Amino acid sequence: MHKFRQALLCAALISGGQVLAEDRSKEEAANVSATQRFFNAGWGTNEGWQDHWRSAVSEDATSYFHAFPPITGVENMIDFNADLFVGFPRLEMSVQGIVAEGNTVVVTGHLNGIHDGLFLGVPASGAEVSVPDVTILTFRDRQIVEMRYFTDLMAVMTLIGALPPNE
């Protein structure tokens, strides 16, 4: 999707803008429903989340996580996310807003958890982490074909002791 449209969708979320359900097209409503299922059944702390990903995410999907190289293929995406949840095995995510336009759905949320395991090479610190996040999903034929994920990774790494505090 064009970067300007992504910025507009994010701006709508940040400003509190919400599209009413009755204003959504059938495609948008279906994509929002699929997104809600994905964030419920597909959350990495839920039993069987990997099976939900296999049905909700296209085999050739691509995931973008900050400046990391793109991850292609649902199995590689599952492996990468499973590794992330090792560091935060009880991580909770609360959805704060969902905006849809055509085949794109933007989700804003908030993450809360305790750093109880290895996360991006950093051993468990026991630190509590609470940060906002944004996920942009692109759908094709009712499946996720692209996922872009953003959180305040600098804050996370500082809170778990991987970076010095900003003074």
Side-chain angles (χ1 to χ4, degrees):
M1 179 173 77
H2 189 269
K3 290 186 185 321
F4 181 71
R5 276 182 72 195
Q6 286 179 339
L8 285 177
L9 286 171
C10 288
L13 280 168
I14 291 167
S15 68
Q18 287 285 74
V19 175
L20 299 176
E22 60 267 15
D23 293 334
R24 290 186 178 130
S25 71
K26 287 182 181 180
E27 175 189 26
E28 290 166 344
N31 291 340
V32 167
S33 179
T35 297
Q36 290 169 324
R37 283 191 306 277
F38 184 72
F39 275 88
N40 290 325
W43 188 245
T45 59
N46 293 335
E47 178 110 11
W49 68 271
Q50 299 94 331
D51 291 332
H52 184 77
W53 276 53
R54 289 181 185 104
S55 66
V57 178
S58 173
E59 281 186 29
D60 62 345
T62 302
S63 176
Y64 300 89
F65 180 82
H66 297 277
F68 287 78
I71 302 161
T72 302
V74 66
E75 293 302 325
N76 293 329
M77 291 167 66
I78 288 170
D79 291 346
F80 181 79
N81 281 277
D83 286 346
L84 295 178
F85 278 99
V86 167
F88 294 90
R90 294 181 304 280
L91 187 67
E92 296 177 1
M93 195 274 201
S94 59
V95 172
Q96 295 178 328
I98 298 177
V99 174
E101 183 179 318
N103 65 347
T104 301
V105 178
V106 179
V107 179
T108 58
H110 201 88
L111 299 173
N112 291 294
I114 306 292
H115 179 220
D116 287 337
L118 188 66
F119 178 75
L120 299 177
V122 180
S125 66
E128 184 174 339
V129 172
S130 180
V131 292
D133 73 342
V134 176
T135 303
I136 302 171
L137 301 174
T138 303
F139 286 84
R140 182 182 63 229
D141 300 326
R142 306 286 188 255
Q143 282 198 307
I144 297 166
V145 294
E146 183 179 279
M147 180 185 314
R148 293 182 179 269
Y149 179 77
F150 309 92
T151 192
D152 189 345
L153 193 55
M154 182 77 79
V156 171
M157 299 308 273
T158 301
L159 289 167
I160 66 175
L163 298 173
N166 187 7
E167 307 211 4

